[in-house]
Amino acid sequence: MGNSTKIDWEEFRKKARNAAVTAAAETNQELAGEMSSITHLTKKEIQEIFPEKSEMEDFSELMEIVKSSTSRNNKVNKIVANSEKFSKVMLSLLGKIF
């Protein structure tokens, strides 16, 4: 057998975790940038209001419903069907305003 390299698994896990955190932060910034281009909110404001990627995704979904060409009644029905998810978005938005 040849020389085998000993792997420091703890260090490997630490580097992998850091890489995942960095990638997630970059993705969140990209998403916030896209969202700021279609709202009156700045990228910084979006990141402050929605610190978690899932919250930004829920906000994005809500915006898509609101901006869709379907009837007001259909929009209300879609929002009500997802009321638990969208209630968090609305609380975050209203918390920023008030």
Side-chain angles (χ1 to χ4, degrees):
M1 273 193 191
N3 275 344
S4 64
T5 304
K6 187 172 181 174
I7 298 172
D8 182 345
W9 289 106
E10 184 60 34
E11 185 65 22
F12 173 79
R13 282 189 292 276
K14 183 179 174 182
K15 286 180 180 180
R17 211 172 16 250
N18 288 342
V21 167
T22 299
E26 289 173 3
T27 300
N28 289 351
Q29 285 199 14
E30 274 184 45
L31 182 55
E34 289 296 318
M35 292 171 69
S36 70
S37 71
I38 59 173
T39 67
H40 295 290
L41 298 169
T42 67
K43 183 176 172 180
K44 182 179 178 186
E45 288 172 324
I46 289 172
Q47 289 178 308
E48 288 172 357
I49 296 169
F50 308 110
E52 299 296 324
K53 181 182 175 200
S54 63
E55 294 172 334
M56 277 194 265
E57 289 169 344
D58 293 343
F59 178 51
S60 178
E61 186 179 343
L62 179 59
M63 285 191 317
E64 184 178 340
I65 292 169
V66 171
K67 295 292 186 180
S68 72
S69 61
T70 63
S71 72
R72 182 177 176 90
N73 221 22
N74 284 342
K75 291 177 187 182
V76 169
N77 289 337
K78 286 182 181 180
I79 291 169
V80 169
N82 293 285
S83 61
E84 186 174 332
K85 175 172 40 175
F86 294 147
S87 65
K88 295 173 187 172
V89 170
M90 289 181 242
L91 285 173
S92 294
L93 281 170
L94 292 172
K96 177 71 176 170
I97 295 169
F98 296 107

